Amino acid sequence: MVLVRDSQDAPPRDAVELTEVTKVHPGGVRALDGVTVGFGRGSFTAVMGPSGSGKSTLLHCAAGLDRPTSGRIVLAGQDIGALREPKLTSVRRAHVGFVFQSFNLVDALSVWDNVLLPQQFAGTKPDRAWAKELLARVGLAGREKARPGELSGGQQQRVALARALAGRPAVVFGDEPTGALDLSTGREVLALLRRFVDELGATMVMVTHDPAAAAWADRVVFLADGRIAGELHSPSADKVSARMMELTR
Ligand code: ADP
Ligand code: MG
């Protein structure tokens, strides 16, 4: 099974591509200042940087949750900078999955309904066989009827992972997806992210402040003061830590 359906004959190499993106927040803070970066299809990227360096703003702009002040953002082959609501929301729903630190499951719904919810919002026909396979892959086969409150934090995040992938998004964004988990549970979630990239061709972009988490990625992109401050390929936790020390000095 292949995760991403290609809608074009020659899909772009990058799932998301930002060119010279600047974001000035209301109040005048320049959170992003000429950021050019691409996230290759089937790759796993960690985004790191000191607090206030623009990580969340980058994620929100790349995901179509926020609009850049200037610059170009191409998501799944579409220039989303030019889009206004509600078109932006529909592109986001069709092409982006999210995993949050706080899981963000709907407590009143079963695991199964949580996984299918984004497709319902998107108005697409849910792919039940795929949802079932994803739940099996995250180790929750047979727990479809459970409520989130009956599950451990790690299990809830694994439901959120299945939910993020259920609509076969072009890219999954994670904002500190292991931030609320203990070390070994966090590692299980990271191993799943890694497997989704390696086995299903998923594209992952994960903000983290944890060098050990970043070391699961193919590449770490560093941000400082709203600008790209270098990257590391095949990162080790030690190299990531050293780089972060330089940036926060
Ligand atoms: P990070 O995630 O790296 O901590 P953010 O992207 O959250 O950084 O923030 C970058 C800068 O933009 C900070 O100075 C922050 O205070 C500012 N900022 C972020 N969001 C907003 C907003 N909605 N309104 C005004 N300023 C913001
Ligand atoms: Mg942030």
Side-chain angles (χ1 to χ4, degrees):
M1 265 220 233
V2 178
L3 180 67
V4 178
R5 272 188 302 249
D6 286 327
S7 53
Q8 295 128 313
D9 293 327
R13 197 185 60 81
D14 285 335
V16 193
E17 193 177 8
L18 289 78
T19 309
E20 285 292 317
V21 169
T22 291
K23 174 70 184 183
V24 181
H25 284 296
V29 177
R30 188 173 288 261
L32 296 176
D33 188 9
V35 168
T36 296
V37 66
F39 301 109
R41 288 155 54 96
S43 71
F44 185 176
T45 307
V47 177
M48 300 192 80
S51 177
S53 59
K55 302 181 296 295
S56 293
T57 302
L58 173 69
L59 213 71
H60 291 166
C61 287
L65 285 167
D66 201 354
R67 288 162 55 90
T69 307
S70 64
R72 192 175 139 85
I73 299 174
V74 177
L75 169 63
Q78 295 190 63
D79 185 347
I80 61 168
L83 300 180
R84 309 246 159 218
E85 300 296 351
K87 180 71 178 146
L88 184 59
T89 295
S90 74
V91 168
R92 183 174 67 242
R93 284 179 174 161
H95 297 296
V96 181
F98 291 97
V99 193
F100 303 95
Q101 179 170 346
S102 50
F103 321 138
N104 289 24
L105 300 177
V106 180
D107 285 327
L109 295 180
S110 67
V111 163
W112 181 249
D113 289 341
N114 267 283
V115 170
L116 294 182
L117 195 60
Q119 290 172 81
Q120 299 214 310
F121 278 133
T124 52
K125 193 165 163 284
D127 185 342
R128 293 170 201 281
W130 178 241
K132 204 163 160 41
E133 171 163 351
L134 286 169
L135 277 173
R137 281 179 178 267
V138 299
L140 291 170
R143 302 306 307 273
E144 287 82 1
K145 290 194 174 126
R147 296 291 164 105
E150 298 169 297
L151 302 177
S152 69
Q155 287 173 324
Q156 290 187 52
Q157 194 61 311
R158 287 187 271 135
V159 174
L161 263 184
R163 176 183 62 181
L165 288 156
R168 300 175 191 263
V171 55
V172 175
F173 291 102
D175 203 349
E176 299 271 359
T178 57
L181 302 174
D182 65 57
L183 205 61
S184 74
T185 309
R187 246 187 246 130
E188 283 168 30
V189 166
L190 288 160
L192 280 169
L193 293 176
R194 184 70 254 174
R195 285 184 56 189
F196 284 144
V197 173
D198 293 342
E199 295 173 11
L200 304 178
T203 305
M204 294 278 171
V205 180
M206 170 182 78
V207 167
T208 181
H209 65 253
D210 175 8
W216 286 82
D218 302 309
R219 174 174 72 136
V220 183
V221 171
F222 295 93
L223 271 180
D225 297 326
R227 299 203 181 97
I228 301 289
E231 33 178 88
L232 274 177
H233 291 260
S234 306
S236 68
D238 285 348
K239 280 188 183 156
V240 173
S241 299
R243 200 69 236 286
M244 281 299 289
M245 298 274 271
E246 287 169 30
L247 289 181
T248 44
R249 232 182 359 225

